[in-house]
Amino acid sequence: MQHMRILHICPAARLEAPIAPESLQYLGHRIDRCDPDELPDHASESAEIDVVIADACLDLSLAPRIAELLTEARITAPVIVVLGEGGLATASARWNVADLILTTAGPAEVEARLRVARDRHAASSSASSGGGFPGAAHAGTGRLGAASGAGGWGPVRTGRGPIGTARGSGLGPSSHLGEGGPWNADGEPMIVVTGALRIDETAFTAELGGRSLDLTYREFALLKFFAMHPERVFTRDEILLTVWGDDYFGGTRTVDVHVRRLRAKLGKDLENAIHTVRNVGYRFSADSVTDTDSEDVTA
């Protein structure tokens, strides 16, 4: 593993507190901590800084202004903002950052996001006219899923409905989910549209027929997973591994609990789109919103 130099920014009151995310300290990278007022002191070291991590867990005001503070300090490294789960509700593409990460993220996730942010920034800096690494035109500014010009990113469309585009074909990089992006650090589309459902990871919002859905972070991730793979049957173990991650220590019952909550929040318009496949798991079908019994689908 190639070690990086990380500039960790947090309010002065948190400089003596444990680093966030906590798993960052186990990765062996060089970490320099400072408060926002000390940023100009690091300007001369800008070329050596691989990634900037901004801890906005207790002071959310740091997130929307971190890009401006770095510009004033002439520090050009990509920025990853650390948030608590509650802070995700405020996330915005206008923050002009490369990525977001939760305080609870495990070492593997933190390392992957650091590597992707660094490599995208390096590829963008070396590209002469937006070629090279996918998304290079945006990676240089670190804009999270922002659109730019006439050739900007469009939503990834899957399933049937008013949009009138092709259905996604399944898992893996060979699946055709749409043209362009944007794509997150896991190689997934950040905007998914299926029928009247629109899921936007750039703003962490989900809308159904124009109605905003009040979802927790995990419910949001679960709904996006289902929408990306319509008509595919997944076992509870597969869902748990993909949505919760391999470092989650809990039973598959948590999948059932979240599906039940998600159905309730989708309401009568889409609650029956999540089918229970008996003795197997779940299947999502946005076309079947009029079904009356989602619990009796046989494998």
Side-chain angles (χ1 to χ4, degrees), residues 56-65 82-84 86-88 90 95:
C57 296
L58 295 183
D59 183 7
L60 283 174
S61 68
L62 178 61
R65 60 192 179 95
V82 184
L83 296 170
L88 290 177
T90 68
W95 291 357

Side-chain angles (χ1 to χ4, degrees), residues 47-259:
E48 302 175 12
I49 298 172
D50 292 297
V51 179
V52 172
I53 293 182
D55 179 1
C57 296
L58 295 183
D59 183 7
L60 283 174
S61 68
L62 178 61
R65 60 192 179 95
I66 185 60
E68 182 178 354
L69 292 173
L70 291 172
T71 299
E72 292 175 354
R74 298 187 179 183
I75 297 175
T76 59
V79 187
I80 297 177
V81 172
V82 184
L83 296 170
E85 192 158 329
L88 290 177
T90 68
S92 171
R94 292 189 294 273
W95 291 357
N96 200 28
V97 299
D99 204 355
L100 305 173
I101 194 167
L102 285 170
T103 57
T104 54
E109 179 181 350
V110 173
E111 178 65 23
R113 293 185 183 275
L114 286 171
R115 187 174 63 253
V116 169
R118 178 200 62 189
D119 293 348
R120 278 181 173 166
H121 179 75
S124 175
S125 299
S126 62
S128 58
S129 60
F133 195 93
H138 300 288
T141 60
R143 185 175 297 276
L144 184 62
S148 176
W153 304 121
V156 173
R157 294 163 180 168
T158 179
R160 298 176 187 165
I163 302 297
T165 57
R167 180 190 305 277
S169 57
L171 290 168
S174 62
S175 301
H176 179 71
L177 291 173
E179 302 298 332
W183 308 90
N184 63 21
D186 298 319
E188 298 175 346
M190 297 186 74
I191 300 177
V192 179
V193 177
T194 177
L197 179 65
R198 186 179 193 275
I199 303 168
D200 185 350
E201 192 176 355
T202 64
F204 285 92
T205 59
E207 296 180 353
L208 178 58
R211 173 174 64 92
S212 179
L213 300 176
D214 183 17
L215 305 178
T216 65
Y217 174 77
R218 199 66 67 186
E219 291 165 352
F220 178 91
L222 181 61
L223 180 60
K224 183 190 174 190
F225 172 74
F226 280 139
M228 284 176 56
H229 309 112
E231 308 300 343
R232 291 287 301 273
V233 177
F234 292 97
T235 67
R236 290 170 175 81
D237 285 328
E238 289 173 330
I239 296 171
L240 198 65
L241 179 62
T242 304
V243 178
W244 275 260
D246 56 9
D247 57 348
Y248 175 78
F249 297 101
T252 55
R253 177 61 180 166
T254 191
V255 176
D256 299 326
V257 172
H258 280 77
V259 166

